[in-house]
Amino acid sequence: MVTASALAVSLAAAAAFPAAAAATPYADSGATAQRAQLQQLARKLVEAGAPGVIVRVDDGRGRPVEIAEQAAWTRRDHLLTAGDEFRMGSNTKTMTATLVLQLVAEGKLALTDPVDKWLPGKVPGGKAITLRMLLNHTSGLFDYTDDAALRPSMLGRDRRRWTSAKLLAVGVKHDPLFAPGTKWSYSNTNYAALGAVLERVTGASLADLVRERIARPLNLKHTYYATDAAWRGPHAHGYEPDAAHMPPGVPAEFGRLAGARHHGHVDVSDNSPGWGGAAGAVVSTTQDWSRFSTALMSGRLLPAAQLAQMRATVPVDSQHPDGPGYGLGIQTGTHPCGTFWGHDGGMPGYLTTTLTDRTGGRSATVLISTELWAEFEADPKIAKAAQALQMAVTCTMFGKPVPNAAHAG
């Protein structure tokens, strides 16, 4: 959970449509045509089985395109709107990294600090693991979300409040995957450690840090760090198929999700994302996240030196050093329509992809209100429709026409 699965949809889409030169222009270049195309693709994604879809695209040249589509059976729970709050999952990592880099800029932390300096004895081998390694997933630490102890919380059956320290303790019970700094492997334990460091250095909670250093200065009224299941505003409901309708590729234990059941689905909206911690507990909206992305990439939240550090990437796949890269809490990849920056997030009921360009002048967010199909690559029909939508969203963000193949999605 809280994985890099959603951005994989973007990258898979890029692979599926490799030639931007094969693109056809819009029927006209206006926002009406853009909106109609994106709305059609969002509707196709719902028809393919997604309970709901929210899209927001800002190409930096006019009024953003905002779309909300939902399956008819979900309307009894909530009428979905483009302004609804939703679980951001691992997009949280970009905010956590921003907080760390702010403290670096203030001289309170250094990227070269060993984690043992701030959490003595809490991380085996912590003298050789730097904060930078935690931020860019080169520490070698085991991912705590792969431990069975987290499963009841992921399923909404255990409502305990997880702290950064407790999440970190689960992860470091396991042997490291490799020597620090020698490879790349996505691990939420890295960000549990960073959450504990932030709390130790500042004496403040992560919820307070997100509010005082990011949400309040940027006037993000629907962005907050969640420690329990409570929502603060109208919110998108998240769903997963019930046990009888779960795709065969999803492990059987995920058929035991807590929540109200109807129409072959479980409403997981009231399950707490708190187990995501500094790796995945933030709630936001498409508009708030666009404002955050713009502020971050344009240098409003970080000085130039720290923003450059954030953008310094390591290859996600060592066999393809020129392929997708991971910086400090942010990912990048080359798409047929442009080079994007951003992150993604996945937890039951909520699959999100957030994108921007290098300057923050353009941004896009896609929410799909079901996630396990992507986590376990279990539903080719939804995957195909999601790829087509993501391709169109990304090209629209860059002001480019969409490759022909995407229209058939």
Side-chain angles (χ1 to χ4, degrees):
M1 299 298 103
V2 203
T3 66
S5 57
L7 197 70
V9 172
S10 295
L11 299 175
F17 309 110
T24 54
Y26 298 113
D28 64 65
S29 59
T32 301
Q34 292 179 340
R35 178 183 177 84
Q37 181 187 52
L38 293 174
Q39 189 150 25
Q40 179 187 36
L41 291 170
R43 194 169 295 134
K44 285 184 177 181
L45 181 49
V46 170
E47 291 169 356
V53 178
I54 295 176
V55 175
R56 187 181 193 275
V57 187
D58 186 350
D59 65 4
R61 298 184 297 183
R63 186 173 181 178
V65 176
E66 297 183 331
I67 293 165
E69 290 286 336
Q70 68 186 124
W73 60 266
T74 67
R75 292 177 179 274
R76 67 174 242 186
D77 297 327
H78 173 67
L79 292 178
L80 192 66
T81 74
D84 284 341
E85 295 177 359
F86 50 88
R87 312 289 192 204
M88 296 302 299
S90 274
N91 292 284
T92 299
K93 291 180 174 67
T94 309
M95 280 196 170
T96 298
T98 300
L99 294 171
V100 171
L101 288 167
Q102 286 179 341
L103 295 180
V104 169
E106 294 165 14
K108 297 174 182 175
L109 290 173
L111 293 175
T112 53
D113 285 347
V115 66
D116 208 55
K117 175 179 179 178
W118 301 106
L119 306 175
K122 299 298 184 183
V123 179
K127 292 182 179 179
I129 297 174
T130 65
L131 298 188
R132 185 193 300 276
M133 292 175 190
L134 296 175
L135 286 161
N136 68 12
H137 297 296
T138 58
S139 71
L141 293 179
F142 177 90
D143 189 340
Y144 73 77
T145 64
D146 289 333
D147 188 295
L150 267 291
R151 195 64 45 77
S153 295
M154 293 178 182
L155 299 176
R157 296 186 169 276
D158 181 351
R159 292 188 172 252
R160 79 177 73 179
R161 290 206 176 192
W162 288 95
T163 63
S164 296
K166 289 179 180 178
L167 293 170
L168 175 60
V170 171
V172 299
K173 284 191 309 181
H174 299 263
D175 291 337
L177 304 180
F178 48 81
T182 61
K183 295 181 182 179
W184 185 90
S185 182
Y186 192 87
S187 174
N188 293 290
T189 304
N190 292 321
Y191 279 73
L194 290 166
V197 169
L198 285 167
E199 291 163 339
R200 172 77 182 273
V201 173
T202 65
S205 70
L206 291 173
D208 287 345
L209 291 172
V210 168
R211 182 181 66 249
E212 297 303 322
R213 285 177 169 265
I214 297 176
R216 185 168 288 171
L218 298 181
N219 197 28
L220 309 182
K221 296 182 178 179
H222 296 280
T223 299
Y224 51 95
Y225 180 94
T227 58
D228 56 28
W231 298 89
R232 298 184 184 174
H235 57 275
H237 282 233
Y239 303 88
E240 296 296 344
D242 61 24
H245 297 87
M246 192 69 77
V250 178
E253 57 263 36
F254 286 95
R256 300 184 61 250
L257 285 153
R261 286 160 163 73
H262 64 93
H263 290 84
H265 286 76
V266 183
D267 184 343
V268 298
S269 312
D270 291 331
N271 297 346
S272 174
W275 55 269
V282 164
V283 173
S284 191
T285 64
T286 59
Q287 185 174 14
D288 271 12
W289 204 263
S290 174
R291 190 176 300 161
F292 166 67
S293 295
T294 297
L296 176 62
M297 300 302 278
S298 66
R300 181 175 172 187
L301 289 173
L302 293 174
Q306 280 67 49
L307 186 55
Q309 294 281 10
M310 176 176 267
R311 291 191 183 120
T313 64
V314 294
V316 170
D317 183 350
S318 61
Q319 302 300 313
H320 298 89
D322 296 328
Y326 199 98
L328 306 186
I330 196 166
Q331 302 174 77
T332 187
T334 301
H335 185 277
C337 288
T339 297
F340 62 81
W341 293 82
H343 214 286
D344 67 324
M347 60 173 52
Y350 301 91
L351 180 67
T352 55
T353 306
T354 64
L355 303 175
T356 183
D357 63 1
R358 187 176 179 84
T359 66
R362 305 170 185 267
S363 63
T365 299
V366 176
L367 165 72
I368 303 173
S369 60
T370 189
E371 189 267 348
L372 293 178
W373 66 271
E375 192 76 38
F376 299 102
E377 299 181 355
D379 194 320
K381 187 176 180 183
I382 292 181
K384 181 181 179 182
Q387 287 179 5
L389 175 61
Q390 190 65 56
M391 169 58 77
V393 164
T394 308
C395 289
T396 300
M397 182 185 83
F398 283 111
K400 300 285 183 64
V402 181
N404 285 328
H407 296 277

